[in-house]
Amino acid sequence: MADLYRSVGPPNFIRAYDEAEQELKFNLPPWRLSTASQKLLTVCLYIAIYLPVLVLFIITVGGYSIYLIFYIKPLITDIDKIPEVYYYHSESERNASKTKGWTFFSLITWCVLWILVSHYRALRTNAGEIPKEKEWDLPSEDNSESSNESTMLIEKRKDGTIRTCARCQHRKPDRTHHCKQCERCNLKMDHHCNWIANCVGYFNYKYFFLMVFYGALALAIFICTFWETAVVVLNDETSSQFLCLFIVLSYSLGSMLGIALLGFVIFHLWLISNNYTTIEFCEKKKEITLESKISPYKLGLFDNFKEALGNEPLFWPFPFKYRDADDKGLYFKVNR
Ligand SMILES: [Zn+2]
Ligand SMILES: [Zn+2]
């Protein structure tokens, strides 16, 4: 079967599908020529893809604004209206509350800044594509699969043949998977993330991780401090019912989101320390023996973190200086 595939190329139905797809791509009318229904369909499609991105942005900026207005502002401003009886009773306590306010303001602003930058970079950075080089072409007579490069790959199909993608017409490097939503293969694919409208892979994993990490950190600060606002507002007789409900709801939702995000960060820290991607973890779960569950890419703890977050530990907490220019993400060190 493999020989047949090699000599005649991909099966007919795949070729027919690809031809139809190409034809469709090149024959779609440009925007000004398309009909109203085609325009509406395109707009709806874009909204569906980018809505979660917008929602995440609104949650970040909205949550930050609520924190500043209802928690930070009463701590650091001198307006008489503030129910100062709850925050300070003397001049020294007032200064202490100001210091506290400015400290949490700096911490939360630091986190929100990196959430936004990481979100943008995760969204805009290509997860990693297979290069259009002969080395990754499908096996054929003049492109023998017994080349040096393919013997360096360790992942094989169950029948022992090399992994290929019929949709992209490529050989697959190790840890590469095809994403149906992005309609292409991604290097060291972790998962497709709707919140960034992109796949998480070799070149943007750190940005995705930092976005989640700083999100969990910001929400941890929120959970540990914002309850004070809830106590003040609920005890203040001048607070309206709407304000009480708003503050309690904000705190409850923030806490739930924070706990969920913290769990997600712990899961990803575990994945990083075991050199797994989410897809590999799900696949390995099915393995029977304990030994086969261990990732073949698992190195020492420090090296595992270097593979996930980049070679320079000083830059791990920041969403830049990630992959080296000559790093293509095609081959991985193996634990023998
Ligand atoms: Zn593919
Ligand atoms: Zn994808």
Tab-separated table of all heavy atoms in Angstrom, residues 95-154:
chain	number	residue	atom	x	y	z
A	95	ASN	N	-1.296	56.687	55.571
A	95	ASN	CA	-0.078	56.532	54.761
A	95	ASN	C	0.156	55.071	54.411
A	95	ASN	O	0.550	54.739	53.296
A	95	ASN	CB	1.131	57.087	55.527
A	95	ASN	CG	1.097	58.600	55.583
A	95	ASN	OD1	0.473	59.241	54.732
A	95	ASN	ND2	1.742	59.173	56.595
A	96	ALA	N	-0.117	54.177	55.391
A	96	ALA	CA	0.057	52.744	55.137
A	96	ALA	C	-0.895	52.277	54.043
A	96	ALA	O	-0.526	51.494	53.162
A	96	ALA	CB	-0.184	51.961	56.423
A	97	SER	N	-2.132	52.782	54.078
A	97	SER	CA	-3.104	52.357	53.053
A	97	SER	C	-2.710	52.901	51.678
A	97	SER	O	-2.925	52.248	50.657
A	97	SER	CB	-4.520	52.780	53.437
A	97	SER	OG	-4.782	54.076	53.005
A	98	LYS	N	-2.089	54.094	51.675
A	98	LYS	CA	-1.613	54.648	50.390
A	98	LYS	C	-0.500	53.775	49.817
A	98	LYS	O	-0.482	53.459	48.626
A	98	LYS	CB	-1.087	56.071	50.599
A	98	LYS	CG	-2.155	57.107	50.420
A	98	LYS	CD	-1.542	58.481	50.295
A	98	LYS	CE	-2.634	59.510	50.058
A	98	LYS	NZ	-2.115	60.836	49.909
A	99	THR	N	0.440	53.387	50.682
A	99	THR	CA	1.548	52.527	50.228
A	99	THR	C	0.999	51.210	49.679
A	99	THR	O	1.419	50.732	48.626
A	99	THR	CB	2.493	52.230	51.423
A	99	THR	OG1	2.776	53.450	52.076
A	99	THR	CG2	3.752	51.547	50.980
A	100	LYS	N	0.025	50.648	50.417
A	100	LYS	CA	-0.595	49.394	49.981
A	100	LYS	C	-1.264	49.579	48.611
A	100	LYS	O	-1.115	48.751	47.708
A	100	LYS	CB	-1.638	48.997	51.035
A	100	LYS	CG	-2.268	47.650	50.821
A	100	LYS	CD	-3.123	47.320	52.044
A	100	LYS	CE	-4.368	46.587	51.662
A	100	LYS	NZ	-5.294	46.432	52.782
A	101	GLY	N	-1.995	50.692	48.478
A	101	GLY	CA	-2.676	50.974	47.219
A	101	GLY	C	-1.712	51.057	46.050
A	101	GLY	O	-1.923	50.441	45.004
A	102	TRP	N	-0.616	51.797	46.249
A	102	TRP	CA	0.349	51.954	45.156
A	102	TRP	C	1.062	50.635	44.851
A	102	TRP	O	1.374	50.336	43.688
A	102	TRP	CB	1.385	53.039	45.486
A	102	TRP	CG	0.823	54.428	45.281
A	102	TRP	CD1	0.581	55.352	46.243
A	102	TRP	CD2	0.406	55.022	44.031
A	102	TRP	NE1	0.033	56.492	45.695
A	102	TRP	CE2	-0.085	56.317	44.330
A	102	TRP	CE3	0.375	54.584	42.706
A	102	TRP	CZ2	-0.577	57.170	43.347
A	102	TRP	CZ3	-0.112	55.442	41.724
A	102	TRP	CH2	-0.576	56.716	42.056
A	103	THR	N	1.301	49.811	45.886
A	103	THR	CA	1.962	48.512	45.675
A	103	THR	C	1.086	47.610	44.801
A	103	THR	O	1.548	47.057	43.797
A	103	THR	CB	2.221	47.809	47.038
A	103	THR	OG1	2.895	48.717	47.880
A	103	THR	CG2	3.025	46.545	46.864
A	104	PHE	N	-0.209	47.476	45.194
A	104	PHE	CA	-1.089	46.604	44.411
A	104	PHE	C	-1.378	47.188	43.035
A	104	PHE	O	-1.580	46.446	42.076
A	104	PHE	CB	-2.373	46.292	45.183
A	104	PHE	CG	-2.146	45.271	46.261
A	104	PHE	CD1	-2.263	45.599	47.598
A	104	PHE	CD2	-1.771	43.975	45.927
A	104	PHE	CE1	-2.024	44.656	48.588
A	104	PHE	CE2	-1.533	43.025	46.911
A	104	PHE	CZ	-1.654	43.367	48.247
A	105	PHE	N	-1.382	48.525	42.952
A	105	PHE	CA	-1.564	49.147	41.633
A	105	PHE	C	-0.405	48.744	40.701
A	105	PHE	O	-0.617	48.362	39.552
A	105	PHE	CB	-1.620	50.675	41.777
A	105	PHE	CG	-1.576	51.399	40.461
A	105	PHE	CD1	-2.674	51.408	39.625
A	105	PHE	CD2	-0.414	52.057	40.044
A	105	PHE	CE1	-2.636	52.053	38.398
A	105	PHE	CE2	-0.364	52.704	38.813
A	105	PHE	CZ	-1.477	52.707	37.992
A	106	SER	N	0.822	48.797	41.231
A	106	SER	CA	1.990	48.439	40.413
A	106	SER	C	1.937	46.958	40.024
A	106	SER	O	2.167	46.602	38.865
A	106	SER	CB	3.296	48.684	41.174
A	106	SER	OG	3.253	49.930	41.788
A	107	LEU	N	1.601	46.099	40.999
A	107	LEU	CA	1.583	44.657	40.725
A	107	LEU	C	0.544	44.297	39.663
A	107	LEU	O	0.837	43.570	38.713
A	107	LEU	CB	1.281	43.887	42.018
A	107	LEU	CG	2.413	43.780	43.035
A	107	LEU	CD1	1.930	43.141	44.322
A	107	LEU	CD2	3.581	42.982	42.453
A	108	ILE	N	-0.672	44.827	39.839
A	108	ILE	CA	-1.755	44.460	38.909
A	108	ILE	C	-1.483	45.054	37.519
A	108	ILE	O	-1.753	44.419	36.501
A	108	ILE	CB	-3.142	44.870	39.469
A	108	ILE	CG1	-4.245	43.984	38.886
A	108	ILE	CG2	-3.500	46.308	39.183
A	108	ILE	CD1	-4.617	42.819	39.699
A	109	THR	N	-0.907	46.276	37.488
A	109	THR	CA	-0.620	46.898	36.189
A	109	THR	C	0.468	46.109	35.462
A	109	THR	O	0.392	45.893	34.249
A	109	THR	CB	-0.181	48.367	36.381
A	109	THR	OG1	-1.185	49.022	37.133
A	109	THR	CG2	0.003	49.075	35.065
A	110	TRP	N	1.462	45.666	36.214
A	110	TRP	CA	2.535	44.838	35.651
A	110	TRP	C	1.938	43.575	35.001
A	110	TRP	O	2.256	43.229	33.862
A	110	TRP	CB	3.511	44.474	36.786
A	110	TRP	CG	4.574	43.494	36.445
A	110	TRP	CD1	4.535	42.150	36.660
A	110	TRP	CD2	5.846	43.756	35.836
A	110	TRP	NE1	5.694	41.559	36.225
A	110	TRP	CE2	6.517	42.527	35.718
A	110	TRP	CE3	6.467	44.921	35.378
A	110	TRP	CZ2	7.785	42.416	35.166
A	110	TRP	CZ3	7.734	44.802	34.819
A	110	TRP	CH2	8.370	43.573	34.724
A	111	CYS	N	1.042	42.894	35.726
A	111	CYS	CA	0.431	41.663	35.204
A	111	CYS	C	-0.419	41.955	33.961
A	111	CYS	O	-0.311	41.260	32.946
A	111	CYS	CB	-0.467	41.009	36.265
A	111	CYS	SG	0.431	40.333	37.637
A	112	VAL	N	-1.271	43.005	34.057
A	112	VAL	CA	-2.179	43.297	32.933
A	112	VAL	C	-1.385	43.686	31.688
A	112	VAL	O	-1.723	43.279	30.569
A	112	VAL	CB	-3.198	44.401	33.334
A	112	VAL	CG1	-3.976	44.898	32.130
A	112	VAL	CG2	-4.167	43.851	34.371
A	113	LEU	N	-0.298	44.433	31.892
A	113	LEU	CA	0.536	44.810	30.748
A	113	LEU	C	1.046	43.563	30.014
A	113	LEU	O	0.922	43.455	28.790
A	113	LEU	CB	1.726	45.651	31.251
A	113	LEU	CG	2.784	45.954	30.206
A	113	LEU	CD1	2.285	47.050	29.272
A	113	LEU	CD2	4.097	46.389	30.844
A	114	TRP	N	1.555	42.592	30.774
A	114	TRP	CA	2.095	41.386	30.131
A	114	TRP	C	1.003	40.473	29.597
A	114	TRP	O	1.227	39.746	28.624
A	114	TRP	CB	3.038	40.636	31.072
A	114	TRP	CG	4.280	41.417	31.390
A	114	TRP	CD1	4.780	41.676	32.632
A	114	TRP	CD2	5.182	42.062	30.452
A	114	TRP	NE1	5.914	42.435	32.537
A	114	TRP	CE2	6.185	42.691	31.219
A	114	TRP	CE3	5.220	42.194	29.068
A	114	TRP	CZ2	7.218	43.415	30.641
A	114	TRP	CZ3	6.252	42.923	28.492
A	114	TRP	CH2	7.231	43.516	29.262
A	115	ILE	N	-0.185	40.519	30.210
A	115	ILE	CA	-1.302	39.730	29.653
A	115	ILE	C	-1.611	40.248	28.252
A	115	ILE	O	-1.722	39.483	27.299
A	115	ILE	CB	-2.596	39.850	30.521
A	115	ILE	CG1	-2.403	39.182	31.876
A	115	ILE	CG2	-3.786	39.215	29.804
A	115	ILE	CD1	-3.553	39.460	32.855
A	116	LEU	N	-1.708	41.587	28.140
A	116	LEU	CA	-2.084	42.177	26.846
A	116	LEU	C	-1.001	41.956	25.790
A	116	LEU	O	-1.296	41.604	24.650
A	116	LEU	CB	-2.388	43.682	27.009
A	116	LEU	CG	-3.617	44.012	27.869
A	116	LEU	CD1	-3.759	45.509	28.051
A	116	LEU	CD2	-4.888	43.439	27.254
A	117	VAL	N	0.263	42.154	26.187
A	117	VAL	CA	1.361	41.961	25.210
A	117	VAL	C	1.442	40.477	24.809
A	117	VAL	O	1.550	40.153	23.618
A	117	VAL	CB	2.715	42.449	25.790
A	117	VAL	CG1	3.845	42.144	24.821
A	117	VAL	CG2	2.670	43.931	26.098
A	118	SER	N	1.338	39.574	25.783
A	118	SER	CA	1.412	38.136	25.477
A	118	SER	C	0.238	37.710	24.603
A	118	SER	O	0.395	36.909	23.681
A	118	SER	CB	1.395	37.304	26.761
A	118	SER	OG	2.404	37.705	27.626
A	119	HIS	N	-0.945	38.240	24.913
A	119	HIS	CA	-2.132	37.904	24.118
A	119	HIS	C	-1.925	38.323	22.660
A	119	HIS	O	-2.157	37.549	21.732
A	119	HIS	CB	-3.358	38.618	24.715
A	119	HIS	CG	-4.647	38.214	24.085
A	119	HIS	ND1	-5.743	39.012	24.062
A	119	HIS	CD2	-5.018	37.087	23.421
A	119	HIS	CE1	-6.730	38.402	23.425
A	119	HIS	NE2	-6.315	37.234	23.024
A	120	TYR	N	-1.433	39.546	22.489
A	120	TYR	CA	-1.200	40.057	21.131
A	120	TYR	C	-0.150	39.206	20.397
A	120	TYR	O	-0.332	38.821	19.244
A	120	TYR	CB	-0.749	41.528	21.209
A	120	TYR	CG	-0.427	42.108	19.859
A	120	TYR	CD1	-1.448	42.505	18.996
A	120	TYR	CD2	0.894	42.244	19.428
A	120	TYR	CE1	-1.166	43.013	17.741
A	120	TYR	CE2	1.182	42.749	18.172
A	120	TYR	CZ	0.147	43.143	17.333
A	120	TYR	OH	0.442	43.627	16.082
A	121	ARG	N	0.929	38.882	21.104
A	121	ARG	CA	2.008	38.126	20.460
A	121	ARG	C	1.587	36.684	20.157
A	121	ARG	O	1.955	36.126	19.129
A	121	ARG	CB	3.258	38.139	21.335
A	121	ARG	CG	3.801	39.549	21.546
A	121	ARG	CD	5.282	39.596	21.548
A	121	ARG	NE	5.831	39.329	20.240
A	121	ARG	CZ	7.113	39.305	19.962
A	121	ARG	NH1	7.988	39.541	20.909
A	121	ARG	NH2	7.559	39.037	18.759
A	122	ALA	N	0.775	36.079	21.062
A	122	ALA	CA	0.288	34.708	20.826
A	122	ALA	C	-0.641	34.689	19.606
A	122	ALA	O	-0.631	33.754	18.804
A	122	ALA	CB	-0.449	34.199	22.054
A	123	LEU	N	-1.406	35.774	19.472
A	123	LEU	CA	-2.371	35.900	18.370
A	123	LEU	C	-1.668	36.110	17.030
A	123	LEU	O	-2.048	35.563	16.006
A	123	LEU	CB	-3.265	37.089	18.708
A	123	LEU	CG	-4.362	37.529	17.786
A	123	LEU	CD1	-5.670	37.252	18.497
A	123	LEU	CD2	-4.315	39.013	17.482
A	124	ARG	N	-0.605	36.916	17.060
A	124	ARG	CA	0.057	37.326	15.820
A	124	ARG	C	1.202	36.408	15.388
A	124	ARG	O	1.693	36.526	14.276
A	124	ARG	CB	0.618	38.755	15.968
A	124	ARG	CG	-0.428	39.807	16.231
A	124	ARG	CD	-1.271	40.126	15.032
A	124	ARG	NE	-0.495	40.621	13.915
A	124	ARG	CZ	-0.939	40.735	12.668
A	124	ARG	NH1	-2.158	40.367	12.385
A	124	ARG	NH2	-0.168	41.207	11.719
A	125	THR	N	1.666	35.540	16.292
A	125	THR	CA	2.818	34.710	15.940
A	125	THR	C	2.359	33.370	15.370
A	125	THR	O	1.534	32.683	15.978
A	125	THR	CB	3.707	34.469	17.191
A	125	THR	OG1	3.985	35.724	17.794
A	125	THR	CG2	4.994	33.773	16.825
A	126	ASN	N	2.899	33.043	14.232
A	126	ASN	CA	2.597	31.765	13.597
A	126	ASN	C	3.144	30.631	14.469
A	126	ASN	O	4.303	30.672	14.895
A	126	ASN	CB	3.299	31.756	12.232
A	126	ASN	CG	2.813	30.618	11.373
A	126	ASN	OD1	2.534	29.531	11.874
A	126	ASN	ND2	2.723	30.854	10.083
A	127	ALA	N	2.302	29.630	14.746
A	127	ALA	CA	2.734	28.532	15.638
A	127	ALA	C	3.939	27.782	15.064
A	127	ALA	O	4.735	27.208	15.810
A	127	ALA	CB	1.571	27.574	15.855
A	128	GLY	N	4.107	27.803	13.727
A	128	GLY	CA	5.240	27.119	13.092
A	128	GLY	C	4.766	26.241	11.961
A	128	GLY	O	3.936	25.351	12.176
A	129	GLU	N	5.280	26.513	10.737
A	129	GLU	CA	4.856	25.728	9.574
A	129	GLU	C	5.984	24.847	9.076
A	129	GLU	O	7.164	25.155	9.296
A	129	GLU	CB	4.425	26.679	8.453
A	129	GLU	CG	3.061	27.275	8.693
A	129	GLU	CD	2.670	28.250	7.589
A	129	GLU	OE1	2.520	27.803	6.431
A	129	GLU	OE2	2.545	29.444	7.889
A	130	ILE	N	5.641	23.799	8.355
A	130	ILE	CA	6.663	22.936	7.769
A	130	ILE	C	7.252	23.690	6.573
A	130	ILE	O	6.500	24.174	5.723
A	130	ILE	CB	6.049	21.602	7.292
A	130	ILE	CG1	5.292	20.941	8.447
A	130	ILE	CG2	7.116	20.673	6.734
A	130	ILE	CD1	4.493	19.723	8.057
A	131	PRO	N	8.604	23.830	6.511
A	131	PRO	CA	9.178	24.597	5.401
A	131	PRO	C	8.936	23.905	4.047
A	131	PRO	O	8.848	22.685	3.989
A	131	PRO	CB	10.673	24.641	5.738
A	131	PRO	CG	10.898	23.631	6.784
A	131	PRO	CD	9.600	23.326	7.438
A	132	LYS	N	8.819	24.748	3.014
A	132	LYS	CA	8.594	24.169	1.679
A	132	LYS	C	9.934	23.751	1.088
A	132	LYS	O	10.451	24.374	0.169
A	132	LYS	CB	7.892	25.193	0.789
A	132	LYS	CG	6.449	25.405	1.213
A	132	LYS	CD	5.715	26.340	0.310
A	132	LYS	CE	4.243	26.448	0.648
A	132	LYS	NZ	3.876	26.473	2.061
A	133	GLU	N	10.513	22.713	1.637
A	133	GLU	CA	11.801	22.189	1.170
A	133	GLU	C	11.607	20.737	0.763
A	133	GLU	O	10.729	20.046	1.290
A	133	GLU	CB	12.842	22.302	2.296
A	133	GLU	CG	13.253	23.732	2.589
A	133	GLU	CD	14.001	23.880	3.915
A	133	GLU	OE1	14.270	22.847	4.565
A	133	GLU	OE2	14.300	25.026	4.285
A	134	LYS	N	12.499	20.298	-0.127
A	134	LYS	CA	12.379	18.939	-0.666
A	134	LYS	C	12.394	17.885	0.448
A	134	LYS	O	11.726	16.855	0.345
A	134	LYS	CB	13.552	18.704	-1.622
A	134	LYS	CG	13.259	17.670	-2.683
A	134	LYS	CD	14.328	17.684	-3.730
A	134	LYS	CE	14.249	16.602	-4.774
A	134	LYS	NZ	13.229	15.661	-4.786
A	135	GLU	N	13.161	18.213	1.472
A	135	GLU	CA	13.296	17.301	2.611
A	135	GLU	C	11.941	16.872	3.186
A	135	GLU	O	11.792	15.758	3.684
A	135	GLU	CB	14.094	18.070	3.687
A	135	GLU	CG	14.266	17.380	4.982
A	135	GLU	CD	14.903	18.315	6.026
A	135	GLU	OE1	15.455	19.370	5.645
A	135	GLU	OE2	14.841	17.969	7.208
A	136	TRP	N	10.934	17.772	3.091
A	136	TRP	CA	9.634	17.472	3.688
A	136	TRP	C	8.569	17.124	2.659
A	136	TRP	O	7.391	17.018	3.007
A	136	TRP	CB	9.180	18.663	4.562
A	136	TRP	CG	10.169	18.953	5.637
A	136	TRP	CD1	11.048	19.991	5.688
A	136	TRP	CD2	10.449	18.146	6.785
A	136	TRP	NE1	11.839	19.890	6.790
A	136	TRP	CE2	11.495	18.762	7.491
A	136	TRP	CE3	9.920	16.949	7.301
A	136	TRP	CZ2	12.023	18.233	8.666
A	136	TRP	CZ3	10.439	16.430	8.471
A	136	TRP	CH2	11.478	17.069	9.136
A	137	ASP	N	9.006	16.966	1.375
A	137	ASP	CA	8.045	16.543	0.354
A	137	ASP	C	7.592	15.119	0.636
A	137	ASP	O	8.293	14.356	1.302
A	137	ASP	CB	8.690	16.602	-1.039
A	137	ASP	CG	8.796	18.047	-1.521
A	137	ASP	OD1	8.224	18.923	-0.843
A	137	ASP	OD2	9.469	18.273	-2.544
A	138	LEU	N	6.438	14.767	0.073
A	138	LEU	CA	5.954	13.403	0.251
A	138	LEU	C	6.946	12.421	-0.384
A	138	LEU	O	7.604	12.763	-1.376
A	138	LEU	CB	4.588	13.240	-0.418
A	138	LEU	CG	3.400	13.840	0.330
A	138	LEU	CD1	2.149	13.692	-0.517
A	138	LEU	CD2	3.214	13.179	1.684
A	139	PRO	N	7.069	11.211	0.143
A	139	PRO	CA	8.009	10.250	-0.425
A	139	PRO	C	7.640	9.912	-1.876
A	139	PRO	O	6.470	9.755	-2.196
A	139	PRO	CB	7.818	9.006	0.456
A	139	PRO	CG	7.043	9.436	1.623
A	139	PRO	CD	6.314	10.671	1.266
A	140	SER	N	8.683	9.886	-2.737
A	140	SER	CA	8.473	9.467	-4.122
A	140	SER	C	9.766	8.806	-4.566
A	140	SER	O	10.721	8.718	-3.789
A	140	SER	CB	8.140	10.675	-5.003
A	140	SER	OG	9.221	11.580	-4.950
A	141	GLU	N	9.833	8.379	-5.820
A	141	GLU	CA	11.024	7.641	-6.244
A	141	GLU	C	12.295	8.486	-6.206
A	141	GLU	O	13.353	8.038	-5.812
A	141	GLU	CB	10.810	7.072	-7.643
A	141	GLU	CG	10.203	5.694	-7.540
A	141	GLU	CD	9.732	5.153	-8.849
A	141	GLU	OE1	10.108	5.707	-9.895
A	141	GLU	OE2	8.988	4.162	-8.816
A	142	ASP	N	12.160	9.783	-6.634
A	142	ASP	CA	13.358	10.629	-6.619
A	142	ASP	C	13.543	11.333	-5.274
A	142	ASP	O	14.426	12.124	-5.095
A	142	ASP	CB	13.300	11.671	-7.762
A	142	ASP	CG	12.064	12.545	-7.628
A	142	ASP	OD1	11.033	12.012	-7.186
A	142	ASP	OD2	12.144	13.742	-7.952
A	143	ASN	N	12.663	11.058	-4.323
A	143	ASN	CA	12.807	11.664	-2.991
A	143	ASN	C	12.639	10.534	-1.969
A	143	ASN	O	11.607	10.396	-1.333
A	143	ASN	CB	11.734	12.745	-2.801
A	143	ASN	CG	11.938	13.494	-1.488
A	143	ASN	OD1	13.050	13.587	-0.983
A	143	ASN	ND2	10.862	14.001	-0.932
A	144	SER	N	13.673	9.694	-1.904
A	144	SER	CA	13.582	8.471	-1.117
A	144	SER	C	13.345	8.763	0.359
A	144	SER	O	13.889	9.692	0.916
A	144	SER	CB	14.873	7.677	-1.268
A	144	SER	OG	14.926	6.694	-0.263
A	145	GLU	N	12.514	7.929	0.963
A	145	GLU	CA	12.224	8.154	2.381
A	145	GLU	C	13.357	7.681	3.277
A	145	GLU	O	13.329	7.896	4.478
A	145	GLU	CB	10.900	7.508	2.778
A	145	GLU	CG	10.936	6.048	3.045
A	145	GLU	CD	9.580	5.529	3.457
A	145	GLU	OE1	8.688	5.443	2.593
A	145	GLU	OE2	9.428	5.202	4.624
A	146	SER	N	14.365	7.034	2.681
A	146	SER	CA	15.481	6.581	3.513
A	146	SER	C	16.591	7.634	3.589
A	146	SER	O	17.742	7.326	3.791
A	146	SER	CB	16.053	5.273	2.970
A	146	SER	OG	16.533	5.502	1.666
A	147	SER	N	16.193	8.923	3.378
A	147	SER	CA	17.200	9.983	3.482
A	147	SER	C	17.634	10.151	4.932
A	147	SER	O	16.955	9.707	5.847
A	147	SER	CB	16.619	11.300	2.962
A	147	SER	OG	15.574	11.674	3.816
A	148	ASN	N	18.776	10.837	5.120
A	148	ASN	CA	19.290	11.028	6.481
A	148	ASN	C	18.287	11.698	7.374
A	148	ASN	O	18.127	11.363	8.522
A	148	ASN	CB	20.554	11.916	6.425
A	148	ASN	CG	21.721	11.101	5.949
A	148	ASN	OD1	21.698	9.884	6.043
A	148	ASN	ND2	22.721	11.784	5.434
A	149	GLU	N	17.589	12.718	6.796
A	149	GLU	CA	16.692	13.518	7.614
A	149	GLU	C	15.578	12.667	8.220
A	149	GLU	O	15.262	12.776	9.388
A	149	GLU	CB	16.078	14.661	6.785
A	149	GLU	CG	17.059	15.744	6.395
A	149	GLU	CD	17.892	15.362	5.187
A	149	GLU	OE1	17.591	14.319	4.573
A	149	GLU	OE2	18.845	16.096	4.879
A	150	SER	N	14.967	11.810	7.359
A	150	SER	CA	13.823	11.069	7.868
A	150	SER	C	14.237	10.044	8.921
A	150	SER	O	13.448	9.685	9.778
A	150	SER	CB	13.047	10.408	6.746
A	150	SER	OG	13.883	9.526	6.072
A	151	THR	N	15.503	9.555	8.836
A	151	THR	CA	15.925	8.600	9.865
A	151	THR	C	16.141	9.290	11.203
A	151	THR	O	16.195	8.644	12.232
A	151	THR	CB	17.232	7.882	9.464
A	151	THR	OG1	18.183	8.883	9.153
A	151	THR	CG2	17.050	6.950	8.308
A	152	MET	N	16.259	10.659	11.167
A	152	MET	CA	16.393	11.376	12.431
A	152	MET	C	15.055	11.550	13.148
A	152	MET	O	14.990	11.940	14.298
A	152	MET	CB	16.999	12.763	12.181
A	152	MET	CG	18.492	12.715	11.885
A	152	MET	SD	19.055	14.255	11.166
A	152	MET	CE	18.970	15.331	12.586
A	153	LEU	N	13.966	11.274	12.439
A	153	LEU	CA	12.644	11.397	13.065
A	153	LEU	C	12.345	10.136	13.869
A	153	LEU	O	12.665	9.034	13.438
A	153	LEU	CB	11.570	11.582	11.984
A	153	LEU	CG	11.741	12.799	11.081
A	153	LEU	CD1	10.646	12.812	10.027
A	153	LEU	CD2	11.720	14.099	11.872
A	154	ILE	N	11.726	10.324	15.033
A	154	ILE	CA	11.453	9.134	15.835
A	154	ILE	C	9.984	8.725	15.814
A	154	ILE	O	9.648	7.594	16.087
A	154	ILE	CB	11.930	9.299	17.299
A	154	ILE	CG1	11.157	10.408	18.011
A	154	ILE	CG2	13.414	9.519	17.401
A	154	ILE	CD1	11.157	10.200	19.509
